[in-house]
Amino acid sequence: MSAKEKSVVPENVMYEMVTGWPRFGYTRADPVALAQAHQNKAPTPPRAQVEGVPPTLEKLIMPLLAKDPQHRPRNARAVAHAIKEIERDLDASGVEQRAHDPAPGPGASMSGNGFADQVSAVELTVRRLIRKHGQDHALVITARMELADLTGHGGDVRGAAELYDRLGRDCSIWFGPRHSRTLDAFEGMARRVSA
């Protein structure tokens, strides 16, 4: 990997984490069209891809992806300042509240502390996202990973491993056996089985 490629990886990862999609499509897309898009197009703003992206987060991501270095943040300190601003906005809006809730430990009761409600909510989210986006959409895959993880935290190791395995097989069909989503799912399964 060249020095130039290394310098853009964090921005690409941030964009994909927020939207669930790479900036210009998956690597299985036409390589010439993909290269031209990287060279000539600006990525779709995250808020146009996914509902609920805070404006301050988009205000950080888009300049990080700017083709012209003059339009990028001046330095890491400017990026750190922008991240603090985003954290303040999230805290103020209550969006981040779930992130501060402690994750249930292994063997936690599925019925305690509304944990069963949490699993049911994620199952409903998976179904809703499938209807809206289709089974192979990144948001669906992320929600399925969360469901498998919650199942494992509830003490159902076998159930979690089966959910991860099914997701890994699906991702292998959709994206290929070496795609990061496929590998993440099988890694989750291995983690649950070894636990």
Side-chain angles (χ1 to χ4, degrees), residues 21-180:
W21 293 97
R23 292 181 299 164
F24 300 110
Y26 286 105
T27 54
R28 288 179 24 187
D30 174 39
V32 174
L34 194 57
Q36 288 176 340
H38 275 278
Q39 187 174 14
N40 302 319
K41 289 184 178 180
T44 304
R47 290 170 24 119
Q49 296 247 40
V50 179
E51 294 177 26
V53 174
T56 49
L57 182 55
E58 183 173 278
K59 202 167 109 180
L60 170 62
I61 292 172
M62 293 308 289
L64 285 169
L65 297 171
K67 307 233 183 283
D68 182 352
Q70 297 294 326
H71 295 120
R72 295 182 197 145
R74 290 184 314 273
N75 52 37
R77 188 171 304 173
V79 174
H81 176 74
I83 291 171
K84 287 187 188 298
E85 188 178 319
I86 293 164
E87 288 174 340
R88 279 194 303 272
D89 286 353
L90 290 175
D91 284 339
S93 68
V95 171
E96 203 178 33
Q97 180 179 353
R98 187 173 175 204
H100 291 302
D101 293 341
S109 168
M110 288 291 282
S111 60
N113 299 328
F115 194 60
D117 293 338
Q118 210 176 356
V119 170
S120 295
V122 175
E123 288 173 338
L124 287 172
T125 298
V126 169
R127 287 196 291 271
R128 180 180 55 82
L129 289 171
I130 288 172
R131 279 194 309 272
K132 184 173 182 179
H133 301 290
Q135 291 191 5
D136 61 345
H137 193 277
L139 293 174
V140 174
I141 294 166
T142 301
R144 287 178 64 185
M145 292 274 272
E146 183 178 352
L147 179 60
D149 206 36
L150 279 172
T151 302
H153 283 308
D156 184 2
V157 175
R158 177 178 284 154
E162 287 173 5
L163 289 171
Y164 275 120
D165 181 53
R166 194 173 314 136
L167 179 58
R169 290 171 192 258
D170 289 344
C171 287
S172 182
I173 292 167
W174 297 326
F175 310 117
R178 294 188 183 144
H179 191 274
S180 62

